[in-house]
Amino acid sequence: MIKTGDRFGVLEVRSVAGDVYLCTCLVHTDRRPMQLSAKQLETAIQCSKCAADSVKLRRNAHKMTGRTFGDYVAIESVGLSSGAREIKENQRQWRGKIDLEHSYCRHKYWRCYCRHCLAEREIRGDVLRSGVLHCECWPKRMGVI
């Protein structure tokens, strides 16, 4: 039974009217809500604007939007880490003084939410793809604490 507040990838159900669901995108909050049928909602993980944005992102980045990695669902890419951003901005100034190839992590960070407690967190892309991730709410859900 699908109810208000349920999330499917980056789509969140705002209202239910019979067999029609009004959904908003967690990435493109400024866009108007979409009407989806139950069948469409079963397979949808992102809005049409997310799919169009994939062309602008680096290769394979669009394949992560709306996908589930353990307890987390990737919402959007938030870019490089702050250290990587600083080095990239000052590259000309530091050229020849330090080895820029190995001085910073160039992985993109992703804003994600936990499927169970809906808490948001930024996680590196390679960590997301590496395996099963658990949220801090995991011990409580499993009855460990």
PDB file of all heavy atoms in Angstrom, residues 82-105:
ATOM      1  N   SER A  82      35.852  19.322  -0.513  1.00  0.00           N
ATOM      2  CA  SER A  82      36.341  20.700  -0.388  1.00  0.00           C
ATOM      3  C   SER A  82      37.843  20.783  -0.642  1.00  0.00           C
ATOM      4  O   SER A  82      38.324  21.742  -1.241  1.00  0.00           O
ATOM      5  CB  SER A  82      35.995  21.263   0.990  1.00  0.00           C
ATOM      6  OG  SER A  82      36.544  20.446   1.999  1.00  0.00           O
ATOM      7  N   GLY A  83      38.626  19.799  -0.211  1.00  0.00           N
ATOM      8  CA  GLY A  83      40.069  19.800  -0.458  1.00  0.00           C
ATOM      9  C   GLY A  83      40.385  19.690  -1.935  1.00  0.00           C
ATOM     10  O   GLY A  83      41.269  20.380  -2.457  1.00  0.00           O
ATOM     11  N   ALA A  84      39.654  18.832  -2.626  1.00  0.00           N
ATOM     12  CA  ALA A  84      39.864  18.661  -4.064  1.00  0.00           C
ATOM     13  C   ALA A  84      39.488  19.930  -4.813  1.00  0.00           C
ATOM     14  O   ALA A  84      40.166  20.327  -5.756  1.00  0.00           O
ATOM     15  CB  ALA A  84      39.035  17.488  -4.573  1.00  0.00           C
ATOM     16  N   ARG A  85      38.433  20.591  -4.383  1.00  0.00           N
ATOM     17  CA  ARG A  85      37.994  21.820  -5.025  1.00  0.00           C
ATOM     18  C   ARG A  85      39.056  22.920  -4.881  1.00  0.00           C
ATOM     19  O   ARG A  85      39.365  23.631  -5.825  1.00  0.00           O
ATOM     20  CB  ARG A  85      36.674  22.272  -4.399  1.00  0.00           C
ATOM     21  CG  ARG A  85      35.876  23.206  -5.265  1.00  0.00           C
ATOM     22  CD  ARG A  85      34.491  23.505  -4.682  1.00  0.00           C
ATOM     23  NE  ARG A  85      33.688  22.306  -4.488  1.00  0.00           N
ATOM     24  CZ  ARG A  85      33.255  21.863  -3.301  1.00  0.00           C
ATOM     25  NH1 ARG A  85      33.527  22.509  -2.208  1.00  0.00           N
ATOM     26  NH2 ARG A  85      32.532  20.763  -3.220  1.00  0.00           N
ATOM     27  N   GLU A  86      39.657  23.035  -3.694  1.00  0.00           N
ATOM     28  CA  GLU A  86      40.682  24.058  -3.445  1.00  0.00           C
ATOM     29  C   GLU A  86      41.913  23.821  -4.312  1.00  0.00           C
ATOM     30  O   GLU A  86      42.442  24.746  -4.916  1.00  0.00           O
ATOM     31  CB  GLU A  86      41.078  24.044  -1.973  1.00  0.00           C
ATOM     32  CG  GLU A  86      42.166  25.050  -1.635  1.00  0.00           C
ATOM     33  CD  GLU A  86      42.642  24.919  -0.193  1.00  0.00           C
ATOM     34  OE1 GLU A  86      41.961  24.265   0.615  1.00  0.00           O
ATOM     35  OE2 GLU A  86      43.709  25.461   0.095  1.00  0.00           O
ATOM     36  N   ILE A  87      42.347  22.573  -4.401  1.00  0.00           N
ATOM     37  CA  ILE A  87      43.527  22.258  -5.209  1.00  0.00           C
ATOM     38  C   ILE A  87      43.229  22.481  -6.685  1.00  0.00           C
ATOM     39  O   ILE A  87      44.054  23.029  -7.416  1.00  0.00           O
ATOM     40  CB  ILE A  87      44.007  20.813  -4.940  1.00  0.00           C
ATOM     41  CG1 ILE A  87      44.613  20.763  -3.541  1.00  0.00           C
ATOM     42  CG2 ILE A  87      45.007  20.367  -5.982  1.00  0.00           C
ATOM     43  CD1 ILE A  87      45.064  19.409  -3.099  1.00  0.00           C
ATOM     44  N   LYS A  88      42.060  22.099  -7.121  1.00  0.00           N
ATOM     45  CA  LYS A  88      41.711  22.292  -8.521  1.00  0.00           C
ATOM     46  C   LYS A  88      41.690  23.775  -8.888  1.00  0.00           C
ATOM     47  O   LYS A  88      42.131  24.164  -9.960  1.00  0.00           O
ATOM     48  CB  LYS A  88      40.346  21.659  -8.804  1.00  0.00           C
ATOM     49  CG  LYS A  88      40.024  21.575 -10.257  1.00  0.00           C
ATOM     50  CD  LYS A  88      38.831  20.697 -10.493  1.00  0.00           C
ATOM     51  CE  LYS A  88      38.573  20.632 -11.965  1.00  0.00           C
ATOM     52  NZ  LYS A  88      37.839  19.496 -12.367  1.00  0.00           N
ATOM     53  N   GLU A  89      41.191  24.624  -7.976  1.00  0.00           N
ATOM     54  CA  GLU A  89      41.145  26.067  -8.230  1.00  0.00           C
ATOM     55  C   GLU A  89      42.539  26.690  -8.261  1.00  0.00           C
ATOM     56  O   GLU A  89      42.780  27.664  -8.964  1.00  0.00           O
ATOM     57  CB  GLU A  89      40.299  26.757  -7.155  1.00  0.00           C
ATOM     58  CG  GLU A  89      38.820  26.466  -7.283  1.00  0.00           C
ATOM     59  CD  GLU A  89      38.016  26.919  -6.078  1.00  0.00           C
ATOM     60  OE1 GLU A  89      38.611  27.454  -5.113  1.00  0.00           O
ATOM     61  OE2 GLU A  89      36.785  26.729  -6.097  1.00  0.00           O
ATOM     62  N   ASN A  90      43.485  26.152  -7.482  1.00  0.00           N
ATOM     63  CA  ASN A  90      44.830  26.726  -7.376  1.00  0.00           C
ATOM     64  C   ASN A  90      45.878  25.934  -8.154  1.00  0.00           C
ATOM     65  O   ASN A  90      47.062  26.058  -7.889  1.00  0.00           O
ATOM     66  CB  ASN A  90      45.244  26.813  -5.904  1.00  0.00           C
ATOM     67  CG  ASN A  90      44.348  27.743  -5.132  1.00  0.00           C
ATOM     68  OD1 ASN A  90      44.083  28.853  -5.572  1.00  0.00           O
ATOM     69  ND2 ASN A  90      43.853  27.288  -4.003  1.00  0.00           N
ATOM     70  N   GLN A  91      45.452  25.117  -9.098  1.00  0.00           N
ATOM     71  CA  GLN A  91      46.360  24.243  -9.827  1.00  0.00           C
ATOM     72  C   GLN A  91      47.490  25.000 -10.531  1.00  0.00           C
ATOM     73  O   GLN A  91      48.636  24.583 -10.461  1.00  0.00           O
ATOM     74  CB  GLN A  91      45.568  23.444 -10.871  1.00  0.00           C
ATOM     75  CG  GLN A  91      45.810  21.987 -10.768  1.00  0.00           C
ATOM     76  CD  GLN A  91      44.876  21.203 -11.681  1.00  0.00           C
ATOM     77  OE1 GLN A  91      44.038  21.751 -12.373  1.00  0.00           O
ATOM     78  NE2 GLN A  91      45.044  19.909 -11.672  1.00  0.00           N
ATOM     79  N   ARG A  92      47.182  26.094 -11.194  1.00  0.00           N
ATOM     80  CA  ARG A  92      48.207  26.849 -11.918  1.00  0.00           C
ATOM     81  C   ARG A  92      49.279  27.361 -10.983  1.00  0.00           C
ATOM     82  O   ARG A  92      50.465  27.310 -11.283  1.00  0.00           O
ATOM     83  CB  ARG A  92      47.575  28.034 -12.646  1.00  0.00           C
ATOM     84  CG  ARG A  92      46.934  27.656 -13.923  1.00  0.00           C
ATOM     85  CD  ARG A  92      46.695  28.894 -14.799  1.00  0.00           C
ATOM     86  NE  ARG A  92      45.906  28.507 -15.929  1.00  0.00           N
ATOM     87  CZ  ARG A  92      44.756  29.055 -16.283  1.00  0.00           C
ATOM     88  NH1 ARG A  92      44.261  30.045 -15.584  1.00  0.00           N
ATOM     89  NH2 ARG A  92      44.108  28.622 -17.324  1.00  0.00           N
ATOM     90  N   GLN A  93      48.857  27.872  -9.871  1.00  0.00           N
ATOM     91  CA  GLN A  93      49.774  28.452  -8.894  1.00  0.00           C
ATOM     92  C   GLN A  93      50.719  27.389  -8.318  1.00  0.00           C
ATOM     93  O   GLN A  93      51.872  27.667  -8.037  1.00  0.00           O
ATOM     94  CB  GLN A  93      48.933  29.098  -7.793  1.00  0.00           C
ATOM     95  CG  GLN A  93      49.664  29.592  -6.598  1.00  0.00           C
ATOM     96  CD  GLN A  93      48.682  30.078  -5.541  1.00  0.00           C
ATOM     97  OE1 GLN A  93      47.547  30.401  -5.839  1.00  0.00           O
ATOM     98  NE2 GLN A  93      49.106  30.127  -4.305  1.00  0.00           N
ATOM     99  N   TRP A  94      50.224  26.165  -8.137  1.00  0.00           N
ATOM    100  CA  TRP A  94      51.022  25.114  -7.503  1.00  0.00           C
ATOM    101  C   TRP A  94      51.740  24.210  -8.500  1.00  0.00           C
ATOM    102  O   TRP A  94      52.472  23.315  -8.092  1.00  0.00           O
ATOM    103  CB  TRP A  94      50.131  24.262  -6.613  1.00  0.00           C
ATOM    104  CG  TRP A  94      49.544  25.007  -5.473  1.00  0.00           C
ATOM    105  CD1 TRP A  94      49.998  26.183  -4.943  1.00  0.00           C
ATOM    106  CD2 TRP A  94      48.404  24.646  -4.712  1.00  0.00           C
ATOM    107  NE1 TRP A  94      49.214  26.581  -3.905  1.00  0.00           N
ATOM    108  CE2 TRP A  94      48.208  25.641  -3.734  1.00  0.00           C
ATOM    109  CE3 TRP A  94      47.516  23.589  -4.757  1.00  0.00           C
ATOM    110  CZ2 TRP A  94      47.184  25.604  -2.812  1.00  0.00           C
ATOM    111  CZ3 TRP A  94      46.492  23.549  -3.839  1.00  0.00           C
ATOM    112  CH2 TRP A  94      46.329  24.541  -2.882  1.00  0.00           C
ATOM    113  N   ARG A  95      51.521  24.410  -9.793  1.00  0.00           N
ATOM    114  CA  ARG A  95      52.111  23.537 -10.799  1.00  0.00           C
ATOM    115  C   ARG A  95      53.630  23.496 -10.647  1.00  0.00           C
ATOM    116  O   ARG A  95      54.282  24.513 -10.545  1.00  0.00           O
ATOM    117  CB  ARG A  95      51.731  23.991 -12.201  1.00  0.00           C
ATOM    118  CG  ARG A  95      52.147  22.981 -13.254  1.00  0.00           C
ATOM    119  CD  ARG A  95      51.503  23.219 -14.583  1.00  0.00           C
ATOM    120  NE  ARG A  95      50.120  22.712 -14.511  1.00  0.00           N
ATOM    121  CZ  ARG A  95      49.064  23.359 -14.967  1.00  0.00           C
ATOM    122  NH1 ARG A  95      49.205  24.519 -15.530  1.00  0.00           N
ATOM    123  NH2 ARG A  95      47.871  22.846 -14.863  1.00  0.00           N
ATOM    124  N   GLY A  96      54.184  22.296 -10.640  1.00  0.00           N
ATOM    125  CA  GLY A  96      55.621  22.108 -10.517  1.00  0.00           C
ATOM    126  C   GLY A  96      56.112  22.068  -9.079  1.00  0.00           C
ATOM    127  O   GLY A  96      57.228  21.645  -8.816  1.00  0.00           O
ATOM    128  N   LYS A  97      55.297  22.498  -8.135  1.00  0.00           N
ATOM    129  CA  LYS A  97      55.707  22.523  -6.732  1.00  0.00           C
ATOM    130  C   LYS A  97      55.284  21.263  -5.980  1.00  0.00           C
ATOM    131  O   LYS A  97      55.967  20.817  -5.076  1.00  0.00           O
ATOM    132  CB  LYS A  97      55.149  23.758  -6.031  1.00  0.00           C
ATOM    133  CG  LYS A  97      55.689  25.051  -6.626  1.00  0.00           C
ATOM    134  CD  LYS A  97      55.076  26.240  -5.961  1.00  0.00           C
ATOM    135  CE  LYS A  97      55.556  27.497  -6.688  1.00  0.00           C
ATOM    136  NZ  LYS A  97      54.751  28.644  -6.360  1.00  0.00           N
ATOM    137  N   ILE A  98      54.124  20.706  -6.350  1.00  0.00           N
ATOM    138  CA  ILE A  98      53.647  19.475  -5.722  1.00  0.00           C
ATOM    139  C   ILE A  98      53.098  18.543  -6.791  1.00  0.00           C
ATOM    140  O   ILE A  98      52.768  18.972  -7.888  1.00  0.00           O
ATOM    141  CB  ILE A  98      52.560  19.739  -4.656  1.00  0.00           C
ATOM    142  CG1 ILE A  98      51.347  20.451  -5.285  1.00  0.00           C
ATOM    143  CG2 ILE A  98      53.092  20.529  -3.495  1.00  0.00           C
ATOM    144  CD1 ILE A  98      50.170  20.567  -4.348  1.00  0.00           C
ATOM    145  N   ASP A  99      53.024  17.276  -6.465  1.00  0.00           N
ATOM    146  CA  ASP A  99      52.472  16.281  -7.385  1.00  0.00           C
ATOM    147  C   ASP A  99      50.951  16.319  -7.259  1.00  0.00           C
ATOM    148  O   ASP A  99      50.382  15.812  -6.295  1.00  0.00           O
ATOM    149  CB  ASP A  99      53.009  14.896  -7.044  1.00  0.00           C
ATOM    150  CG  ASP A  99      52.486  13.821  -7.975  1.00  0.00           C
ATOM    151  OD1 ASP A  99      51.972  14.174  -9.061  1.00  0.00           O
ATOM    152  OD2 ASP A  99      52.590  12.638  -7.634  1.00  0.00           O
ATOM    153  N   LEU A 100      50.278  16.963  -8.214  1.00  0.00           N
ATOM    154  CA  LEU A 100      48.836  17.149  -8.135  1.00  0.00           C
ATOM    155  C   LEU A 100      48.045  15.873  -8.394  1.00  0.00           C
ATOM    156  O   LEU A 100      46.899  15.767  -7.995  1.00  0.00           O
ATOM    157  CB  LEU A 100      48.383  18.227  -9.114  1.00  0.00           C
ATOM    158  CG  LEU A 100      48.853  19.641  -8.788  1.00  0.00           C
ATOM    159  CD1 LEU A 100      48.466  20.584  -9.907  1.00  0.00           C
ATOM    160  CD2 LEU A 100      48.264  20.108  -7.488  1.00  0.00           C
ATOM    161  N   GLU A 101      48.651  14.905  -9.062  1.00  0.00           N
ATOM    162  CA  GLU A 101      47.921  13.680  -9.389  1.00  0.00           C
ATOM    163  C   GLU A 101      47.491  12.906  -8.148  1.00  0.00           C
ATOM    164  O   GLU A 101      46.438  12.313  -8.108  1.00  0.00           O
ATOM    165  CB  GLU A 101      48.773  12.769 -10.279  1.00  0.00           C
ATOM    166  CG  GLU A 101      48.893  13.262 -11.695  1.00  0.00           C
ATOM    167  CD  GLU A 101      47.547  13.325 -12.397  1.00  0.00           C
ATOM    168  OE1 GLU A 101      46.779  12.352 -12.322  1.00  0.00           O
ATOM    169  OE2 GLU A 101      47.263  14.359 -13.006  1.00  0.00           O
ATOM    170  N   HIS A 102      48.328  12.893  -7.114  1.00  0.00           N
ATOM    171  CA  HIS A 102      48.044  12.055  -5.945  1.00  0.00           C
ATOM    172  C   HIS A 102      47.827  12.868  -4.683  1.00  0.00           C
ATOM    173  O   HIS A 102      47.917  12.355  -3.593  1.00  0.00           O
ATOM    174  CB  HIS A 102      49.185  11.069  -5.735  1.00  0.00           C
ATOM    175  CG  HIS A 102      49.460  10.246  -6.948  1.00  0.00           C
ATOM    176  ND1 HIS A 102      48.595   9.273  -7.378  1.00  0.00           N
ATOM    177  CD2 HIS A 102      50.455  10.300  -7.861  1.00  0.00           C
ATOM    178  CE1 HIS A 102      49.066   8.733  -8.498  1.00  0.00           C
ATOM    179  NE2 HIS A 102      50.190   9.336  -8.809  1.00  0.00           N
ATOM    180  N   SER A 103      47.554  14.152  -4.812  1.00  0.00           N
ATOM    181  CA  SER A 103      47.454  14.994  -3.630  1.00  0.00           C
ATOM    182  C   SER A 103      46.023  15.171  -3.124  1.00  0.00           C
ATOM    183  O   SER A 103      45.827  15.758  -2.090  1.00  0.00           O
ATOM    184  CB  SER A 103      48.076  16.361  -3.910  1.00  0.00           C
ATOM    185  OG  SER A 103      47.414  16.961  -4.983  1.00  0.00           O
ATOM    186  N   TYR A 104      45.036  14.688  -3.828  1.00  0.00           N
ATOM    187  CA  TYR A 104      43.658  14.846  -3.357  1.00  0.00           C
ATOM    188  C   TYR A 104      42.761  13.764  -3.937  1.00  0.00           C
ATOM    189  O   TYR A 104      43.070  13.143  -4.937  1.00  0.00           O
ATOM    190  CB  TYR A 104      43.107  16.226  -3.697  1.00  0.00           C
ATOM    191  CG  TYR A 104      42.964  16.519  -5.182  1.00  0.00           C
ATOM    192  CD1 TYR A 104      41.760  16.301  -5.824  1.00  0.00           C
ATOM    193  CD2 TYR A 104      44.025  17.023  -5.916  1.00  0.00           C
ATOM    194  CE1 TYR A 104      41.613  16.572  -7.163  1.00  0.00           C
ATOM    195  CE2 TYR A 104      43.883  17.297  -7.267  1.00  0.00           C
ATOM    196  CZ  TYR A 104      42.682  17.074  -7.880  1.00  0.00           C
ATOM    197  OH  TYR A 104      42.533  17.332  -9.205  1.00  0.00           O
ATOM    198  N   CYS A 105      41.656  13.559  -3.272  1.00  0.00           N
ATOM    199  CA  CYS A 105      40.664  12.586  -3.722  1.00  0.00           C
ATOM    200  C   CYS A 105      39.748  13.273  -4.725  1.00  0.00           C
ATOM    201  O   CYS A 105      39.141  14.281  -4.418  1.00  0.00           O
ATOM    202  CB  CYS A 105      39.864  12.086  -2.534  1.00  0.00           C
ATOM    203  SG  CYS A 105      38.487  11.053  -3.012  1.00  0.00           S
TER     204      CYS A 105
END
